[in-house]
Amino acid sequence: MTNQHISNRDMNVLWHPCTQMKDHESFPIIPIARGDGVYLEDFEKNRYIDGISSWWVNLFGHANAYINGKVKEQLDTLEHVILAGFTHEGIVRLSERLVALAPEGLTRCFYADNGSSAVEVALKMSYHAHRNKGDNRALFVSLSNSYHGETLGALSIGDVALYKETYEPLLIRSIQTPSPINQSLEAAKAAIIHFELLLRERSDEIAALIVEPLVQGAGGMVMYHPHFLTEAKRLCEEYAIHFIADEIMVGFGRTGTMFACEQADITPDFLILSKGLTGGYLPLSVVMTTESIYGEFYCDYDPHRSFLHSHSYTGNALACAAANATLDLFEKNKVIEANQKLSRAINEGLKRFESRKEVKETRQCGMIGVIELQGFNASQRIGVKIHRHCLSLGVLIRPLGSVIYVMPPYVITPEELGLIFDAIESALNELTL
Ligand SMILES: Cc1ncc(COP(=O)(O)O)c(C=O)c1O
């Protein structure tokens, strides 16, 4: 079977996510035959280093032998069971482990099956918890430039015009407060002043603040100081609004700690996890919350007070097996410590780009490295050109406009990271002359 054979069939029947399908008339889609660690291999044996962890999900490589084994074991026992009225050992064990790992006080796990759905859960729970206290608050605050997913609720509280604008008439109410403009303490302090002013004026309408802790992903890998989170959480407590930490992208070690909130020493009211939760294997997400929020819903049967939200695949047993295997690997291999070496290699790689004229800045947070370009307009589609150039050199990266970023699986070697930076350098040499 050739690449072309599969891609021709694909073009007849598929509609790909976040894609203008017509682009594939001139640039064929790449069919992947197998995965192997940090490599993806197509049907003609071309190999690509997965520099973006397949949309930020993969932690321990593709076709990881240990995770494979655990999923296969589970497959012979139980593939899935309805999670209302029933449970299974894998999800109980996973929940116990998440409670032990997460910031102290997050004692309850509510599952869904993808990031956006979990965001919907957190928004509904927050609104409903206030409502159960007799408080009607239907407004959410998020940071400017934030991204929380594509379903209507999640889209409503995001702030990336590219994804949101078209659907504006369909959305629920949200307002934005300025996000810190860079990683400095001063920028965090300046953003807090704005947030406090907003709370002084409108806190009694607001259910929650939702943030992407430390790194705003789809908004262009914008990074900020943990001080913002510490202070924002303090203000949320002062004004009695919930703090929702969307760690869908940054959870599980991406920022250098298991959870980004640890760097701000805070316990959010809701912690949302997905992506790396299953090591990038299967769709699963969880909203962790406190005993106090849980208590707002705990009562003799009352349909208005109960949280009657569900998804068919909630708590899927195969996904839980992948998640438990992923946590085993964190325990066995001291991953957070080991990643410090890789993080230093990313830092070294970024240095090559600092003084290039087309580079606005480089920045880094743990296992995420960014090269932001300047001087290009959207119609030049520089990111797409860099993506294609790097693919021709066996490297998968997928810039966000003119923001090039590297977010590899944790099993990459410093040498393989070097190959990614070589490809980016080659792309810039070729495309920015
Ligand atoms: C911070 C954040 N929240 C939510 C989502 C949505 O998750 P999903 O794509 O699984 O719906 C994403 C996806 O990239 C994300 O980065």
Side-chain angles (χ1 to χ4, degrees), residues 380-398:
Q380 287 173 285
R381 301 188 81 190
I382 186 70
V384 174
K385 289 176 185 156
I386 292 169
H387 165 71
R388 291 178 181 181
H389 184 92
C390 289
L391 279 176
S392 73
L393 298 173
V395 167
L396 166 58
I397 55 159
R398 205 169 182 276

Side-chain angles (χ1 to χ4, degrees), residues 301-331:
Y301 184 71
D302 171 353
H304 298 295
R305 211 178 167 93
S306 311
F307 193 61
L308 301 180
H309 180 108
S310 61
H311 298 285
S312 318
Y313 280 102
T314 289
N316 174 261
L318 294 172
C320 289
N324 274 312
T326 299
L327 293 185
D328 291 346
L329 291 177
F330 269 104
E331 279 170 18

Side-chain angles (χ1 to χ4, degrees), residues 56 114-117 119 147-149 212 246 248-249 274-275:
W56 321 340
N114 63 76
S116 302
S117 297
V119 170
Y147 178 87
H148 297 285
E212 292 160 275
D246 172 354
I248 289 168
M249 181 187 81
S274 186
K275 292 195 186 270

Side-chain angles (χ1 to χ4, degrees), residues 55-57 113-119 146-151 154 210-213 215-218 221 246-250 272 274-275 283-285:
W55 250 344
W56 321 340
V57 298
D113 47 21
N114 63 76
S116 302
S117 297
V119 170
S146 58
Y147 178 87
H148 297 285
E150 302 288 345
T151 53
I210 181 164
V211 295
E212 292 160 275
V215 186
Q216 296 187 307
M221 297 296 159
D246 172 354
E247 294 219 19
I248 289 168
M249 181 187 81
V250 295
I272 313 176
S274 186
K275 292 195 186 270
L284 184 71
S285 57

